[in-house]
Amino acid sequence: MASIKVKLRQSSVAGKDGTVFYRIHHRRQTRQICADIHINNKEWDSSRSAIVIPAGCDSERAASLNAARESLHSDLARLRYVIDRLDDAGVAYSAGDVVERFRSPGAGVVSFTRKLVDDLRKVGKKNMARRYETSLNSFLRFTGNREVAWGDFDSTLTAGYEEYLRRRGLCRNSTSFYMRNLRSIVNRALERDCAVPGNPFKHVYTGIDKTVKRAVSLKTICIIRDMELGGSPHLEFARDVFMFAFYTRGMSFIDIAHLKKSDLADGVITYRRRKTNRPIQVRIEPETATTIKRLGACGSPYLLPIITDDSGSEEAQCRNAYFRINRNLKKIGEMLGLKTRLTLYVARHAWASIAHHNDVPVSTISKAMGHDSETTTLIYLSTIDSSAVDAANRKIMTLMKKG
């Protein structure tokens, strides 16, 4: 059986990260594979051949290192899978054969998806790449970081994976998210003639359940706006981003984070929704301008201090800020005793709800929120106002008593 060793090759340039590589040895032959993992000496434990997170590491770098760990574990799983398959074949092979099979995208589900994620990133489809990678990492936790041959990717396996997700407490919409992404990956694999058996998703749920939407009243929005937060800059920043989202007609966080200073001109923000690419203009109201000042200036081309530099880590900065802000909004909601968990999404939904309560036409709300169609807006509004129905029901109950 071929052996695998993981090493870190230090950079010849001072201060530059080194590169992780895999050394494959078999039958007196050695070959190397360079991984797309770049770390420094402090982030590498040579005794365990493992990536470590040094003390005092900032959250952005820690997230990057955790992603590198996942990639390392996945690569090793692929290598072991390739070696096991070559051993099972019972024919002589070389270290070069291991490398060739490892680099072949059709070797299995994991290797194919890793290559697909890399290709999508290269062509700028970062959101799709992130979704596929998130689903792959979840699937790897189910398989124990093992490669899965396309011939084994059948309906029994996916049903087992769905059950695994349920046991971890995921709702149907969450399990469906992973299944839909895997189905999309399988469709791409079929386009490249990978041998996928039958219909792997025959017995799993891939739909979308209608969920109870979350919104708060205008009175609650005003309370959030006026809250004294004990001088906590983190809570105040989260509240101000929440209010900015509300003031800008429920602007989504990813659009807020990517606003450029150049998008603001003559008292109007002009941008394109990253989700739908629809152009949107939002007039800056006095409350919005005040909130922008409260949030502070950004040293990068971005309007707000969420993505604070354009060094190539914008995606990670946006993701980390999103989780940090929502964590602090949750604390604010708990301070207020809200039954609804306070998140950035609530600001968007609350704006639509309040507009609807004040007789703003659905077509106007749809345009304001950048929806592709009024159908999407109606889904937003379908569960936010049960008060009229409740009042009608109460009236009927009263009439029954009179009868």
Side-chain angles (χ1 to χ4, degrees):
M1 177 181 285
S3 63
I4 310 166
K5 290 187 177 180
V6 187
K7 301 286 184 179
L8 175 65
R9 181 181 294 118
Q10 298 182 21
S11 174
S12 58
V13 180
K16 189 175 180 181
D17 288 346
T19 302
V20 172
F21 68 95
Y22 313 123
R23 182 175 292 163
I24 316 300
H25 183 77
H26 185 61
R27 293 182 180 272
R28 299 181 181 180
Q29 185 185 59
T30 300
R31 292 289 184 270
Q32 293 183 358
I33 303 172
C34 285
D36 189 20
I37 300 173
H38 306 284
I39 56 176
N40 59 52
N41 289 339
K42 294 180 180 179
E43 298 164 342
W44 180 250
D45 184 341
S46 57
S47 64
R48 296 188 296 120
S49 296
I51 297 170
V52 297
I53 300 177
C57 182
D58 63 53
S59 59
E60 183 179 329
R61 184 59 179 174
S64 176
L65 291 173
N66 278 323
R69 279 176 172 171
E70 294 277 2
S71 181
L72 174 61
H73 293 158
S74 176
D75 283 350
L76 291 177
R78 287 168 56 194
L79 279 168
R80 294 187 187 105
Y81 170 82
V82 168
I83 292 170
D84 287 344
R85 285 294 171 123
L86 288 170
D87 286 334
D88 291 343
V91 296
Y93 65 91
S94 66
D97 292 328
V98 175
V99 173
E100 183 179 354
R101 293 284 189 94
F102 175 81
R103 288 173 173 164
S104 172
V109 179
V110 176
S111 56
F112 177 87
T113 307
R114 284 291 182 201
K115 180 66 166 55
L116 177 59
V117 167
D118 288 341
D119 290 344
L120 289 170
R121 284 203 173 106
K122 288 175 183 176
V123 298
K125 295 189 175 182
K126 295 181 179 179
N127 289 339
M128 184 180 293
R130 187 171 65 251
R131 289 200 307 273
Y132 286 173
E133 188 171 43
T134 298
S135 298
L136 176 61
N137 289 338
S138 171
F139 184 68
L140 281 170
R141 286 190 287 273
F142 165 66
T143 64
N145 281 319
R146 294 192 305 273
E147 176 64 281
V148 174
W150 283 115
D152 297 330
F153 194 82
D154 56 16
S155 59
T156 301
L157 180 70
T158 55
Y161 176 45
E162 183 182 53
E163 181 60 25
Y164 162 82
L165 294 173
R166 286 175 181 164
R167 288 178 179 175
R168 290 175 63 88
L170 274 68
C171 66
R172 283 222 310 173
N173 276 349
S174 295
T175 64
S176 178
F177 166 81
Y178 291 111
M179 293 301 168
R180 293 197 310 273
N181 284 331
L182 284 179
R183 185 177 60 186
S184 179
I185 292 167
V186 167
N187 288 338
R188 288 174 178 265
L190 289 171
E191 290 173 358
R192 303 184 192 184
D193 298 323
C194 292
V196 183
N199 178 9
F201 303 95
K202 183 178 181 179
H203 302 300
V204 298
Y205 182 67
T206 56
I208 301 176
D209 286 341
K210 184 180 290 187
T211 58
V212 177
K213 301 301 182 180
R214 292 169 291 179
V216 293
S217 67
L218 181 59
K219 180 180 179 181
T220 300
I221 293 289
C222 293
I223 292 173
I224 293 169
R225 177 197 62 192
D226 298 332
M227 278 184 75
E228 289 293 335
L229 295 171
S232 169
H234 300 300
L235 295 181
E236 289 177 351
F237 184 84
R239 185 263 307 280
D240 289 341
V241 173
F242 179 91
M243 294 307 303
F244 180 88
F246 182 81
Y247 290 147
T248 53
R249 307 189 316 229
M251 188 184 297
S252 68
F253 178 74
I254 192 167
D255 292 327
I256 292 172
H258 286 87
L259 287 176
K260 297 286 186 72
K261 293 171 182 172
S262 57
D263 294 333
L264 175 56
D266 300 323
V268 175
I269 293 175
T270 303
Y271 71 102
R272 284 186 175 272
R273 277 209 73 195
R274 296 177 71 85
K275 185 175 181 179
T276 63
N277 201 38
R278 290 175 66 88
I280 299 179
Q281 288 189 327
V282 182
R283 186 174 66 188
I284 297 296
E285 302 293 343
E287 294 85 353
T288 318
T290 300
T291 304
I292 292 174
K293 289 180 181 178
R294 284 165 59 98
L295 285 166
C298 185
S300 72
Y302 294 95
L303 178 64
L304 302 177
I306 295 170
I307 300 175
T308 54
D309 65 73
D310 53 351
S311 60
S313 61
E314 291 90 345
E315 185 179 345
Q317 291 180 67
C318 182
R319 185 168 58 251
N320 292 339
Y322 176 78
F323 289 118
R324 186 170 58 250
I325 291 169
N326 271 339
R327 186 169 59 247
N328 287 319
L329 285 175
K330 180 183 176 183
K331 293 178 183 178
I332 292 173
E334 290 171 349
M335 291 166 65
L336 291 174
L338 297 181
K339 294 181 180 179
T340 298
R341 180 178 176 178
L342 195 62
T343 66
L344 288 162
Y345 174 83
V346 172
R348 180 170 174 78
H349 197 70
W351 189 90
S353 172
I354 294 165
H356 185 58
H357 274 295
N358 286 274
D359 301 322
V360 176
V362 171
S363 59
T364 302
I365 297 174
S366 180
K367 182 178 179 181
M369 302 186 76
H371 285 158
D372 277 333
S373 69
E374 290 184 24
T375 303
T376 305
T377 310
L378 288 169
I379 293 172
Y380 254 69
L381 301 177
S382 62
T383 58
I384 61 179
D385 185 11
S386 61
S387 58
V389 179
D390 290 338
N393 189 48
R394 181 70 265 160
K395 186 175 182 179
I396 292 171
M397 298 303 104
T398 303
L399 290 172
M400 288 176 68
K401 289 180 180 178
K402 290 179 179 180

